[in-house]
């Protein structure tokens, strides 16, 4: 039996693949490499001492994903595959709805046909929309402010409806906060295409000299230093959260939404200082206007993850920055 990881060659999927292989799972990766490369899968194999099965498949091709279930005995799925750039989703909403929603529908059809009823889905803290009541809890009101966020909300609903139609399904909706860092080996990490959207990959590119300075989007928020506050967690902690979720859905049917975050908020300038301290590099920055759509403060109440899954994030800011720097100086 194997676990299928859609989007398993991507940033979070590759770290999760390595952790799963290390924990003894058989892993099948299905990816179209729209935002990743097959080389990553080789590194995963090197790290784990065991290579995952790899299928170059686009979830938009129904027959392709169906064939994966025919070829391998899959008993559960972790569904990472999707487009994830918020700004791009505003410019190209149809592409986002088509890729993320149609891809999920095709996956669920194939799962249903092959009697595979366990799925862990990569949702996001973005489903709390413009909420201001931090820390965010799973039963807080949900909303979206851009097409990317809507796809996450819609897929959560689709999976709830699938379960309503058949209570043998077991669904974990993992709402990630801000994953950062890289594998401590330095072999895998995040390699953004073009200008990074997210804070830590941008900082890494300033540190390696690829960009002259960081743009800090707003210093007039109601936060201790005026810059935006987020819940940053190490990508390896996030990966281990998937193993816990997988263990949980193997034992329990139903639908559970679970926050994966540390429960601690950190500002942009605190993150810059943490990275500078660890790397010894200076990160010059320029204060810019607020980025449209950004909220001021976002961090998780991680209680449910602890109680239900037995998961808590273990690594601190220093380790997140050290592992990012270790990866960046060798790879970027
Ligand atoms: P990523 O882009 O690195 O990985 C996604 C992978 O999916 C890529 O390898 C890409 O090639 C693949 N893919 C995309 N569309 C596909 C399709 N139609 N068929 C097959 N493969 C396809 O992104 P990531 O950071 O690893 O994120 C994984 C998931 O987690 C995404 O669904 C993302 O929305 C979600 N998420 C990410 C973050 C974050 O900050 N990174 C936060 C919250 C949620
Ligand atoms: N920021 C900067 N400069 C940059 C990039 C970011 O100042 O160049 C600031 C942002 O304004 C924000 C903070 O750094 O205050 C974090 O921004 P990110 O873009 O790294 O992360 P977001 O919280 O905006 O969004 C990320 C993902 C979303 C996901 C969300 C979940 O991009 O897809 O985390 O919490 F939904």
């Amino acid at each position: 039996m194997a676990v299928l990881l859609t989007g398993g060659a991507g940033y979070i999927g590759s770290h999760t693949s390595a952790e799963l292989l290390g924990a003894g799972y058989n892993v099948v990766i299905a990816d179209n490499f729209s935002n990743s490369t097959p080389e990553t899968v080789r590194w995963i194999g090197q790290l784990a001492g065991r290579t995952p099965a790899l299928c170059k498949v686009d979830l938009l091709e129904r027959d392709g994903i169906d064939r994966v279930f025919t070829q391998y005995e899959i008993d559960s799925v972790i569904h990472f595959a999707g487009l994830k750039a918020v700004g791009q989703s505003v410019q190209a909403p149809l592409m986002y709805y088509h890729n993320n929603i149609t891809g999920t529908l095709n996956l669920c059809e194939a799962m249903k046909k092959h009697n595979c009823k366990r799925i862990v889905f990569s949702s996001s803290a973005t489903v709390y929309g413009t909420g201001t009541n931090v820390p965010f809890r799973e039963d807080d009101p949900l909303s979206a402010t851009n097409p990317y966020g809507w796809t996450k909300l819609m897929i959560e609903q689709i999976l709830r409806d699938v379960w309503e139609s058949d209570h043998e399904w077991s669904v974990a909706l993992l709402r990630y906060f801000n994953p950062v860092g890289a594998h401590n080996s330095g072999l895998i990490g995040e390699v953004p295409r073009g200008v990074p959207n997210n804070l830590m990959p941008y900082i890494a590119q300033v540190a390696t000299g690829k960009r002259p300075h960081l743009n800090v989007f707003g210093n007039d928020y109601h936060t201790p230093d005026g810059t935006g506050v987020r819940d940053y967690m190490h990508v390896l902690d996030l990966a281990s959260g998937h193993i816990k979720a997988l263990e949980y859905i193997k034992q329990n049917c139903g639908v559970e939404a679970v926050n994966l975050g540390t429960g601690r908020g950190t500002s942009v300038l605190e993150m810059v200082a943490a990275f500078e301290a660890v790397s010894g590099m200076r990160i010059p920055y320029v204060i810019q206007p607020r980025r449209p759509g950004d909220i001021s403060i976002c961090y998780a109440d991680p209680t449910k993850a602890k109680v239900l899954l037995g998961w808590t994030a273990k690594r601190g800011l220093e380790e997140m920055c050290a592992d990012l720097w270790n990866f960046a100086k060798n790879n970027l």
Side-chain angles (χ1 to χ4, degrees), residues 4 6 59 77-82 100 103-104 107 119-122 155:
L4 172 66
T6 72
L59 291 187
V77 174
I78 308 183
H79 181 30
F80 295 105
N100 293 4
T104 301
L107 172 67
I119 183 166
V120 176
F121 171 59
S122 298
I155 294 168

Side-chain angles (χ1 to χ4, degrees), residues 23 58 61 86 122 132 145 209 264 286 295 308 325:
D58 193 324
E61 289 163 25
V86 172
S122 298
T132 51
T145 55
R264 286 181 300 277
V286 176
I295 59 173
L308 196 76
W325 178 229

Side-chain angles (χ1 to χ4, degrees), residues 84 86 124-126 148 176-178 197-199 202 214-217 228 230 232 268 291 294 298:
K84 64 165 183 174
V86 172
S124 164
T126 194
Y148 167 73
Y176 312 157
F177 282 67
N178 292 56
N197 296 304
N198 298 117
L199 178 67
Y202 205 106
L214 171 70
N215 296 305
V216 174
F217 299 135
R230 295 291 183 273
Y232 299 97
V268 174
R291 185 170 65 176
D294 270 359
C298 175

Side-chain angles (χ1 to χ4, degrees), residues 14-331:
S14 57
H15 291 82
T16 307
S17 298
E19 293 293 286
L20 282 167
L21 287 163
Y25 285 86
N26 294 319
V27 171
V28 177
I29 291 177
D31 204 302
N32 66 357
F33 302 114
S34 58
N35 197 34
S36 54
T37 61
E39 281 71 52
T40 301
V41 180
R42 279 210 295 277
W43 292 124
I44 295 168
Q46 185 167 323
L47 276 173
R50 221 148 57 84
T51 309
L54 175 61
C55 306
K56 184 171 190 287
V57 168
D58 193 324
L59 291 187
L60 296 177
E61 289 163 25
R62 284 178 78 149
D63 293 349
I65 188 63
D66 189 75
R67 272 197 299 277
V68 175
F69 283 88
T70 307
Q71 194 177 349
Y72 298 96
E73 282 195 71
I74 310 261
D75 69 353
S76 33
V77 174
I78 308 183
H79 181 30
F80 295 105
L83 299 174
K84 64 165 183 174
V86 172
Q88 188 188 34
S89 81
V90 176
Q91 303 304 317
L94 297 180
M95 183 171 86
Y96 270 68
Y97 285 117
H98 186 48
N99 191 76
N100 293 4
I101 306 287
T102 311
T104 301
L105 294 176
N106 288 345
L107 172 67
C108 290
E109 290 286 359
M111 290 177 69
K112 190 174 163 206
K113 181 172 160 194
H114 293 270
N115 205 32
C116 172
K117 300 182 179 180
R118 296 190 191 117
I119 183 166
V120 176
F121 171 59
S122 298
S123 189
S124 164
T126 194
V127 299
Y128 297 114
T130 52
T132 51
N133 198 15
V134 286
F136 291 115
R137 285 169 42 102
E138 288 82 354
D139 51 7
D140 281 348
L142 304 179
S143 67
T145 55
N146 54 70
Y148 167 73
W150 279 114
T151 68
K152 293 297 176 195
L153 266 182
M154 288 176 182
I155 294 168
E156 286 202 2
Q157 188 59 46
I158 288 166
L159 293 173
R160 287 182 195 281
D161 290 341
V162 168
W163 178 79
E164 282 294 344
S165 73
D166 178 352
H167 284 193
E168 285 181 4
W169 278 72
S170 183
V171 178
L173 309 170
L174 300 185
R175 296 179 181 158
Y176 312 157
F177 282 67
N178 292 56
V180 298
H183 196 275
N184 47 10
S185 63
L187 287 180
I188 54 173
E190 189 174 15
V191 188
R193 295 186 176 173
V195 182
N197 296 304
N198 298 117
L199 178 67
M200 295 313 286
Y202 205 106
I203 288 180
Q205 291 198 359
V206 175
T208 53
K210 195 167 176 193
R211 312 214 172 258
H213 62 260
L214 171 70
N215 296 305
V216 174
F217 299 135
N219 67 347
D220 56 352
Y221 287 109
H222 288 296
T223 61
D225 63 21
T227 64
V229 166
R230 295 291 183 273
D231 187 338
Y232 299 97
M233 90 187 116
H234 198 295
V235 65
L236 284 176
D237 279 331
L238 181 57
S240 77
H242 289 79
I243 299 186
K244 295 286 190 186
L246 210 51
E247 287 165 0
Y248 178 83
I249 65 169
K250 286 191 180 206
Q251 303 296 326
N252 302 276
C253 295
V255 184
E256 294 288 352
V258 185
N259 288 340
L260 293 184
T262 65
R264 286 181 300 277
T266 304
S267 76
V268 174
L269 293 184
E270 284 171 331
M271 227 36 206
V272 169
F275 188 90
E276 287 185 334
V278 163
S279 65
M281 306 298 289
R282 212 173 70 77
I283 306 297
Y285 64 84
V286 176
I287 303 293
Q288 302 284 3
R290 292 180 180 193
R291 185 170 65 176
D294 270 359
I295 59 173
S296 134
I297 306 184
C298 175
Y299 60 94
D301 179 339
T303 309
K304 187 172 174 185
K306 186 171 184 187
V307 171
L308 196 76
L309 309 180
W311 176 87
T312 43
K314 295 193 168 52
R315 298 162 176 89
L317 287 188
E318 203 179 308
E319 204 169 340
M320 299 176 209
C321 293
D323 289 339
L324 171 61
W325 178 229
N326 182 38
F327 177 74
K329 65 184 177 202
N330 295 319
N331 293 279

